[in-house]
Structure formats: structure tokens, C-alpha cells
Amino acid sequence: MKKQTLILVFTAALSVIALAAEHAPHDLVAVTSVNPRIRLDIRYATTNNFTGRQVYPSAKAYLRKTTALKLDNVQKKLENRKLGLKVYDAYRPLSVQKIFWEIVPDERYVADPKKGSRHNRGSAVDVTLVELDSGRELEMPSGYDDFTERAAYAFTNLPPAAVSNRALLRALMTECGFIPLETEWWHFDDAGWTICPVMDIPLENLPY
């Protein structure tokens, strides 16, 4: 009888642990809470994006804490050059990923929501370089969300400044633990993204 009781107690304890893990708080943090000098231009909170409509309720940028700390490291290295980062997109709810896939069902540019994007994991960020003081964007090969060959690293028919700026961004992001996406010069994945689950937490539920 005592053995059966112990088994029941142990089983119940495992259930509680599993339930707690399932509902454990996420570790998403606001990018600007980690480094307020990182600028934001969250395009999906505006109509200035490839969908032509606002799909985020507000201009918030969140990342996994470990990812945000890596981005902070990049910002600090850039500041030594009087440069900085501007974030176009960070964590993206899965519900928004489904909208993107309906518009551009091409895995070169948009992840299939059945698999989930690195953005849905809070482990990817879209960035560019800016002048630290003025915030002026440096010349890059293309605009953001340009689904043409100009956005790819293989494209080299560009002004020298665009090639140089793209190379600098890639070099520092890679040095700090990010992996570039070959078809989009602005997109970088945290090298540790594989251990992060896909999330569908609405942005409005993530207060600063």
C-alpha cells in the first residue's frame, strides 16, 4: 500500500512539473531594454512593408534574452566606429507568419508556418547599419524586404559602399554569434535557435 502511494505521489509530482514547464514564462525581452541605443523601425507596425498593411499592433521589438545580449554586443562593437544598429523586425507571432506565407509562399524569403520561422522563436532579427548620432541609414544593396537578387550576398553588381557596409554588418553579426541568411542581407539567426520553440504570443501581450 505504501509503495502504491509513493508511486501515485511521484506521478502527481511529475505532472505538476510538466504542467509548470508547459506554462513557464517566456524569456522574451524588449531589445531597447537591453540596449536603448539600438534604434527601431518596425516596418510591420506600419504600411511600409511588402504586405502593404499594418500587421503588428505597435512598434515593439522582442528577442530571446540570450539573442538580445548578442545583439547588444554587436551594437557596442559598432559604437567604436560611431555606428549603430536599426532593427526592422525581431520576434514575430506565428499567426503573422501565416499571413506572410499566404502572400509569399516561397521559402527563400518566408518560412513555411508549418515549420515555423526563426522569427517565431524570438531567435532572428532583421537589421541594418546607421550613423550613431544622426540615425541615418548606411547604403545597402537594397531596401528592406526586397525579394529580388539584389538582396542576396551573391549579388555583387553594387556600389562599393553598399558592398562594404553589407560586409561589415555580416562580419560583426557573425562574430557575435549570428548566422546570415544568404538571400537577405538584413536577416540573421541566432546560432542557438534550434533549441527555441515556436511561439504565438501576441505582441500586445508583451509589455515593455
Side-chain angles (χ1 to χ4, degrees):
M1 191 68 175
K2 289 183 179 180
K3 183 177 180 180
Q4 290 177 334
T5 301
L6 286 173
I7 292 174
L8 288 172
V9 170
F10 182 69
T11 302
L14 288 178
S15 298
V16 170
I17 292 172
L19 186 62
E22 181 181 350
H23 297 283
H26 59 77
D27 66 346
L28 292 172
V29 297
V31 170
T32 51
S33 72
V34 175
N35 190 323
R37 296 183 300 282
I38 296 177
R39 295 174 182 262
L40 302 183
D41 182 11
I42 308 303
R43 294 292 182 85
Y44 302 126
T46 73
T47 58
N48 183 21
N49 61 69
F50 79 97
T51 70
R53 55 177 167 147
Q54 181 181 347
V55 290
Y56 289 172
S58 59
K60 296 182 178 181
Y62 285 87
L63 290 170
R64 295 278 183 182
K65 187 173 183 179
T66 52
T67 306
L69 290 173
K70 291 178 182 179
L71 200 67
D72 170 56
N73 196 17
V74 177
Q75 174 72 17
K76 289 173 179 175
K77 289 178 180 292
L78 283 168
E79 287 177 2
N80 293 330
R81 301 169 179 259
K82 299 188 183 302
L83 299 175
L85 291 169
K86 177 187 279 187
V87 174
Y88 291 129
D89 194 26
Y91 163 68
R92 180 189 307 153
L94 182 62
S95 56
V96 175
Q97 190 70 31
K98 293 176 180 178
I99 295 173
F100 288 0
W101 183 252
E102 289 175 359
I103 298 171
V104 184
D106 186 338
E107 288 196 77
R108 289 177 301 171
Y109 305 105
V110 177
D112 186 338
K114 291 180 180 177
K115 302 176 184 177
S117 165
R118 274 67 151 167
H119 281 291
N120 305 148
R121 294 171 164 83
S123 301
V125 64
D126 297 340
V127 292
T128 192
L129 296 177
V130 297
E131 293 177 349
L132 187 61
D133 294 333
S134 69
R136 185 183 70 84
E137 292 186 10
L138 272 58
E139 184 178 4
M140 286 296 183
S142 72
Y144 178 57
D145 268 357
D146 182 324
F147 299 140
T148 70
E149 62 180 2
R150 290 187 67 87
Y153 284 101
F155 190 81
T156 56
N157 185 22
L158 298 164
V163 174
S164 176
N165 294 334
R166 180 181 66 181
L168 174 62
L169 177 62
R170 178 170 178 151
L172 290 182
M173 291 292 285
T174 302
E175 181 182 326
C176 293
F178 289 92
I179 302 170
L181 181 64
E182 294 301 320
T183 54
E184 298 177 353
W185 61 261
W186 57 82
H187 179 105
F188 295 88
D189 298 321
D190 187 329
W193 72 266
T194 54
I195 64 172
C196 301
V198 170
M199 296 178 287
D200 196 18
I201 304 169
L203 288 171
E204 56 266 35
N205 292 354
L206 297 171
Y208 281 107

